[in-house]
Amino acid sequence: MATTLTLHPDRALPADPATRGLARRIHAHTAALPLVSMHGHVEAQVLADDVPFGDPAALLVTPDHYVTRMLVSQGVAPHELGVRGPGDPATGPREIWRTFCTHWNLFRGTPSRFWLEHELVEVFGVDVRPGAGTADQIFDRITAVIGDPAFRPRALLDRFGIEVLATTDPATARLEHHAKLAADGYGQRVIPTFRPDALVHLGRPSWRADAALLAEVSGIDTGSYDGYLEALRARRAAFVEAGALATDHGHLGTDTTPLSRTDASTIYRDALAGDVSAQEADAFAGHMLHAMAGMSRDDGLVMQLHPGVLRDHHEAAFGAYGPDRGWDIPVHTEYTRSLRPLLNDFGTDPGFRVILFTVDETSYSRELAPLAGVYPSVRLGAPWWFLDSPHAMRRFRESATETAGFHNTSGFVDDTRAFASIPARHDLSRRIDAGYLASLVVEHRLDEDEAFETATDLAYHLPKRAYAPRG
Amino acid sequence: MATTLTLHPDRALPADPATRGLARRIHAHTAALPLVSMHGHVEAQVLADDVPFGDPAALLVTPDHYVTRMLVSQGVAPHELGVRGPGDPATGPREIWRTFCTHWNLFRGTPSRFWLEHELVEVFGVDVRPGAGTADQIFDRITAVIGDPAFRPRALLDRFGIEVLATTDPATARLEHHAKLAADGYGQRVIPTFRPDALVHLGRPSWRADAALLAEVSGIDTGSYDGYLEALRARRAAFVEAGALATDHGHLGTDTTPLSRTDASTIYRDALAGDVSAQEADAFAGHMLHAMAGMSRDDGLVMQLHPGVLRDHHEAAFGAYGPDRGWDIPVHTEYTRSLRPLLNDFGTDPGFRVILFTVDETSYSRELAPLAGVYPSVRLGAPWWFLDSPHAMRRFRESATETAGFHNTSGFVDDTRAFASIPARHDLSRRIDAGYLASLVVEHRLDEDEAFETATDLAYHLPKRAYAPRG
Amino acid sequence: MATTLTLHPDRALPADPATRGLARRIHAHTAALPLVSMHGHVEAQVLADDVPFGDPAALLVTPDHYVTRMLVSQGVAPHELGVRGPGDPATGPREIWRTFCTHWNLFRGTPSRFWLEHELVEVFGVDVRPGAGTADQIFDRITAVIGDPAFRPRALLDRFGIEVLATTDPATARLEHHAKLAADGYGQRVIPTFRPDALVHLGRPSWRADAALLAEVSGIDTGSYDGYLEALRARRAAFVEAGALATDHGHLGTDTTPLSRTDASTIYRDALAGDVSAQEADAFAGHMLHAMAGMSRDDGLVMQLHPGVLRDHHEAAFGAYGPDRGWDIPVHTEYTRSLRPLLNDFGTDPGFRVILFTVDETSYSRELAPLAGVYPSVRLGAPWWFLDSPHAMRRFRESATETAGFHNTSGFVDDTRAFASIPARHDLSRRIDAGYLASLVVEHRLDEDEAFETATDLAYHLPKRAYAPRG
């Protein structure tokens, strides 16, 4: 059945008519605000080179783990989606696209559905619902659109109204794409984020290579723990120089217990010798969160903590397809005890800022809102990953606001890999916040002028403030 | 105060008028679908012998732990409800029924209230609210109804529109009632489910007797671990032969770490000798979940996992009244790490299917939906036990759908012990799903035709598919 | 911008018009009921001495950790709020008040906002919104009001309609203020609560001093474990004599495993000698919960358990400002296994009553409602602390009612430190319950007469019953 595809102006707004009417006005008030994208995974090279996007499958299906995981969960083989392991056959873009459209029904009730509809209609001008019978027509339409120079990445940056876009870059990145962007006048607009994960997890097979690369890029010998710290500081300085505002840390746990310099040095030396236990590696990773907090206090980079995801749950899938293919699964995550060492040392320091994210929403009302509601250095990050969805965003506001208020949250952070979905994600967030604020007004818990002001804060001012340099 | 008792056609539908109007239409679309009861605890003998039900208390009060636990929590003695321990006096059915009716107010806001109202009105034609003043009148009415041949179990199977009813049977069950049902033409309609719990928990006092019974029933010597596995396989084959589609596993934890054959054999041998530690018994139970997954892959039985309940919390109550009397209490349950060994080995195998249930709803958005949303072998079971209630079912949809979609859930599974409550439970589930789907449409997140189709999937097609033989 | 401040009659009621209309009528039905304040932290001395309240800052800002923590989280220094550490400058009341009013926007969406608005309008007759421009005007207005004799504590007790007010008092309190209140005819109206925490945590630096004080106050030698128990029993008897109905226990964990008398005696002796490990101290604290349950069974005092808060998370803040300043953070809390020893021994005893509170709302549907829904001795306490807020109270009803019903909950317990906020807290709770009950009626899950009766139960009868002497 082919059906028209349109975006209803009231989508994702509350059902109650009075609430919806006000939510519509609040959303209208924020809909045209610039997009502040303080955390995400768009590659800097995409904007540095400004080359046209590839085919519809390469743009919307193959790299989007939200999409591929859903299709895989219903029996589609990864290679049918362009996710190839060793020995897998190649699949053409049109065939991938047909597979995707044929399974459109799987996305009912998911945020992917919301984002994709927004992209198809708003960005590509598609007006029919994806399905087996419309796949080719939509494929051709998108193909035509992305051939247009107005669809080049830099043009979209303007069209989308993106005021600032932060990329996420390994600590060892040479930042040459950011240098090119700066040379082209995009230095304030596309900024790097310092992500040292590969360097602090001593147990990873690639660690020694990464430590060597750190030495090479920084020009500082990482053969000792002191040199390693110095090299990290040097890289942070280079990131600051390139416009970075933040670091990003993706640990499984949230332990932040510092080690003595002697213990840290010993573990580091043993790791260089290839002789480190899992327990020592974990202790060192927790220690480094504490050490990085100290560096943040010194250089003003805002610390982002994204814990609680067990990466690459299925080992064979990881072996065949590599990371970030949808096989990462959250775990129960503890914050109150784990963050205590870090917060005792830096949590009230005016020079320090940490933004806490979670994929364990049980921690919102129990731990994260109480922490953010008293520690001046803590902000509570926007709902992340699996929680960046209508119901989950609403639960976040309902669980966190009563203890943390609005001003101790980060405002919206899109965290996207899919450049073309950035406007859809901001729009959805603004709609959910408009609905929440409208509910507060309709229940006479907030005045209307306050709701409008807060909506602007959440969409624009709070992320700007949360990531502003400290000190 | 005597008050009339009626069922409002809009019960359990959302309050918002636009949402309710659509929900009413969606519910009407599924209300007459056959009932697919893929998991429950009705005794096969009830249908094999097709004898009339007993008195109202024996039908609706004494065996229903939802009912007795609530009355006990407010100071009613178990024997007043027909739950007798050693030395307890007997209580007559009419007296039990009066106690129950007098405490009708305790069930306000509970699903028991919803189910019981449905049964009283729809099945028994009662039209007054239970209370001290109406107890006898209702008792007499039900007594009259259940004397009618049209109220025999097999007649009700037709009247209720039950297409298939799965019982739950110990692995050592001889399945003679199912044989009789098959001989009478009910072989496809009333099917057994293989539940081996008693055989895999080596630490239980009854284990050695159960292992001996397994040998007797299977005709295979269970004096060694290999024989034990062979006997289990033989019983599974007998269940498959008798029409079984699934196994059921009710562990406290969810560990699935396999042991080496040597270690498993040693623990098994020690257990036979009566010398097994609690830790070894736990390790063996976890190992057997992994082993059973392998057997499911081989014989196509769908694996149901129901973990996380600490059984018989109050030891004296267990001693006096036995199991399943309402003294089982959930615990925090971990899935991501615990299931990793099992899912690494079988989670992408086309021949394997596991349905995960929980009574710890914190795991929906954090672990279960992310797992079901990528592993093709995993389905997320319907809200179970304490969570099979209006608000909890709604929370399930709101927490799980955005990551797992609808198609990675099992559809409704009633899990009832109370035969006469089966229609009520399916009706409530269909109402909650209708309300949820209507909300998505009214919020313009789903089209109307999709909502109707999805409602039918959830009520009928998904449970059929989830329990369909694999491989 | 100065704006008027009013209280809307429909505040905190559901948005849906039909639901709101009924909720309004249910709320009206309970609005004038007396306030039953069975647990709180108002000082008995305030009522015994009946002296006028101080200035607005001392009344509404400095002692309210909900307020100060929010301001501190946004960079206000504690001393600017009158919370002074060593070396901090003094800040005048008017200046504190200005700081508070200037940051009024921080409280958007919080229960503090709801309570404070209620107090400002209802109690003090303020009619402008707090802000930089209105701070002085409001300060002057409140100053004038609290100078009026009609604003003395005992006058407010009448004006607020408080039928009974329980204070919380250390086990070593001499209860002289309660004696004075009794002499003045307030003996049944202002009652103490027995809180022995300082005496059961052997690892606290102050423990030996507290044990010595216990000996002094009780006149019983606490040099042995037996003497210590006898002294505790004597103090409980003194509290009973002074009108106490309950004890209160604020442990971090919920372990209730009893020790043998020998082991308990040994640990106690070692603690007196200053030689106790953290592990032994924890075991002793858990043991004492069990022992106190036994004493409750004997003397009829209702046991209140408030676990799961890590106190004084920030050590430097604790060092500077002391306890109860907003630096307490919840942790994940386990009940099912932890309470099993206590409930096995006392959970079905007609002489015992325990009320369980939590700040970990994940336990409502998983553990607390299932426990309260079967153990006759257990009641589930009202949402506590961070959860005493509109959304969280609603979540409590939606998560707990379906398994525990209404009658296994405690009814509302305000737990306030701020005397003037007691009516606001009861009013908010009654509104949320009215909204929840109205939803059940509108969804045809409850009859209207039942909703009215249940609303009265929750506001008045249930707390009276939950705290009524047992045995």
Side-chain angles (χ1 to χ4, degrees), chain C residues 211-414:
Chain C
L213 183 59
L214 173 64
E216 189 191 322
V217 175
S218 66
I220 296 167
D221 182 4
T222 59
S224 72
Y225 173 66
D226 287 347
Y228 163 78
L229 290 183
E230 196 189 332
L232 285 170
R233 277 191 211 100
R235 291 309 303 148
R236 293 175 64 107
F239 272 70
V240 170
E241 186 67 23
L245 297 175
T247 69
D248 185 38
H249 307 269
H251 294 215
L252 174 57
T254 45
D255 174 42
T256 61
T257 310
L259 300 172
S260 71
R261 187 166 159 266
T262 308
D263 286 351
S265 299
T266 303
I267 294 175
Y268 185 85
R269 193 191 57 213
D270 292 350
L272 280 181
D275 178 30
V276 70
S277 70
Q279 200 183 334
E280 286 169 326
D282 285 349
F284 189 84
H287 162 75
M288 284 307 296
L289 280 182
H290 190 277
M292 289 280 172
M295 294 185 198
S296 274
R297 189 229 6 228
D298 295 339
D299 63 20
L301 287 175
V302 170
M303 184 176 204
Q304 299 175 99
L305 185 54
H306 287 87
V309 182
L310 196 159
R311 304 272 170 176
D312 311 316
H313 192 266
H314 193 262
E315 288 162 23
F318 174 66
Y321 314 116
D324 301 325
R325 288 305 193 175
W327 297 90
D328 304 328
I329 311 288
V331 294
H332 174 80
T333 305
E334 206 283 334
Y335 294 89
T336 300
R337 290 179 168 102
S338 305
L339 294 179
R340 200 179 185 195
L342 186 152
L343 292 176
N344 263 283
D345 287 342
F346 307 107
T348 62
D349 194 313
F352 179 65
R353 160 71 33 84
V354 61
I355 305 180
L356 301 175
F357 294 85
T358 198
V359 273
D360 178 0
E361 55 182 319
T362 69
S363 60
Y364 288 153
S365 76
R366 186 181 58 221
E367 302 174 51
L368 292 175
L371 287 168
V374 68
Y375 277 102
S377 294
V378 175
R379 292 294 177 270
L380 177 45
W384 176 46
W385 201 335
F386 298 111
L387 302 177
D388 181 17
S389 57
H391 289 304
M393 287 196 280
R394 177 76 184 218
R395 288 197 298 272
F396 169 74
R397 287 287 169 222
E398 293 188 353
S399 299
T401 308
E402 295 182 324
T403 291
F406 292 104
H407 290 80
N408 287 311
T409 64
S410 69
F412 186 59
V413 173
D414 64 66

Side-chain angles (χ1 to χ4, degrees), chain B residues 38-246:
Chain B
M38 305 306 291
H39 182 96
H41 297 272
V42 171
E43 297 289 338
Q45 189 173 2
V46 168
L47 288 148
D49 297 350
D50 199 33
V51 293
F53 288 102
D55 61 82
L59 181 59
L60 295 171
V61 178
T62 306
D64 185 339
H65 55 62
Y66 287 93
V67 169
T68 57
R69 77 193 313 271
M70 179 60 89
L71 296 169
V72 166
S73 76
Q74 285 284 320
V76 177
H79 68 79
E80 296 178 81
L81 304 167
V83 179
R84 288 173 75 185
D88 280 344
T91 311
R94 190 175 288 272
E95 212 174 333
I96 294 170
W97 186 256
R98 285 174 184 161
T99 299
F100 163 67
C101 288
T102 303
H103 290 85
W104 181 244
N105 66 326
L106 299 181
F107 296 98
R108 292 173 185 171
T110 69
S112 296
R113 155 81 174 239
F114 187 95
W115 301 327
L116 288 163
E117 282 193 342
H118 185 113
E119 291 175 70
L120 291 173
V121 174
E122 286 281 304
V123 182
F124 302 106
V126 172
D127 58 6
V128 292
R129 187 200 285 177
T134 57
D136 282 357
Q137 172 187 352
I138 300 173
F139 186 90
D140 294 337
R141 166 80 197 174
I142 298 174
T143 302
V145 168
I146 61 183
D148 189 313
F151 200 79
R152 292 278 187 89
R154 289 186 183 180
L156 287 182
L157 205 64
D158 289 339
R159 178 172 160 198
F160 291 167
I162 297 176
E163 183 175 305
V164 60
L165 179 75
T167 64
T168 301
D169 311 272
T172 50
R174 293 171 197 274
L175 304 176
E176 67 274 23
H177 304 300
H178 289 88
K180 180 164 191 305
L181 283 159
D184 294 352
Y186 285 86
Q188 306 293 312
R189 200 161 172 201
V190 183
I191 61 178
T193 300
F194 179 82
R195 181 155 190 166
D197 288 356
L199 294 166
V200 305
H201 291 100
L202 309 183
R204 294 195 186 161
S206 56
W207 178 74
R208 279 191 288 179
D210 283 309
L213 183 60
L214 173 63
E216 188 191 320
V217 175
S218 67
I220 297 168
D221 181 5
T222 60
S224 73
Y225 173 66
D226 287 349
Y228 163 78
L229 291 183
E230 197 190 330
L232 285 170
R233 278 191 209 99
R235 292 308 304 148
R236 293 174 64 106
F239 272 70
V240 170
E241 186 66 23
L245 297 175

Side-chain angles (χ1 to χ4, degrees), chain A residues 1 8 11-12 20 69 73-74 108-109 111 113 129 312-315 330 360-361 389-392 395, chain B residues 336 340 343-344 362 365-366 370 373-376 398 402 407-408 436 442-445 447 449-450 453-454:
Chain A
M1 170 177 42
H8 195 284
R11 63 194 183 280
R20 174 169 289 185
R69 77 192 313 271
S73 77
Q74 287 284 319
R108 292 173 185 171
R113 154 83 172 239
R129 188 200 286 178
D312 311 316
H313 193 266
H314 194 262
E315 289 162 24
D360 177 0
E361 57 182 318
S389 57
H391 288 305
R395 288 197 298 272
Chain B
T336 301
R340 200 178 185 196
L343 292 176
N344 263 282
T362 68
S365 77
R366 185 181 58 220
V374 69
Y375 277 101
E398 293 188 354
E402 295 183 325
H407 290 79
N408 287 311
Y436 179 63
V442 170
E443 293 174 11
H444 307 286
R445 295 180 53 197
D447 292 338
D449 66 305
E450 298 175 304
E453 187 181 87
T454 303

Side-chain angles (χ1 to χ4, degrees), chain B residues 375-390:
Chain B
Y375 277 101
S377 294
V378 175
R379 292 295 177 270
L380 176 45
W384 175 46
W385 201 334
F386 298 111
L387 303 177
D388 181 17
S389 57

Side-chain angles (χ1 to χ4, degrees), chain A residues 22-109:
Chain A
L22 177 56
R24 196 187 293 139
R25 290 193 289 125
I26 296 173
H27 176 254
H29 186 68
T30 62
L33 289 173
L35 306 190
V36 174
S37 184
M38 304 307 291
H39 182 96
H41 297 272
V42 171
E43 297 289 337
Q45 189 172 3
V46 167
L47 288 147
D49 296 350
D50 200 34
V51 293
F53 289 101
D55 60 83
L59 182 58
L60 295 172
V61 179
T62 306
D64 185 339
H65 56 63
Y66 287 93
V67 169
T68 56
R69 77 192 313 271
M70 179 60 88
L71 297 168
V72 166
S73 77
Q74 287 284 319
V76 177
H79 68 79
E80 297 178 81
L81 303 167
V83 178
R84 290 173 73 186
D88 280 343
T91 311
R94 189 175 288 271
E95 212 175 332
I96 294 170
W97 187 255
R98 285 174 184 161
T99 298
F100 164 67
C101 288
T102 304
H103 290 86
W104 181 245
N105 66 327
L106 299 181
F107 296 98
R108 292 173 185 171

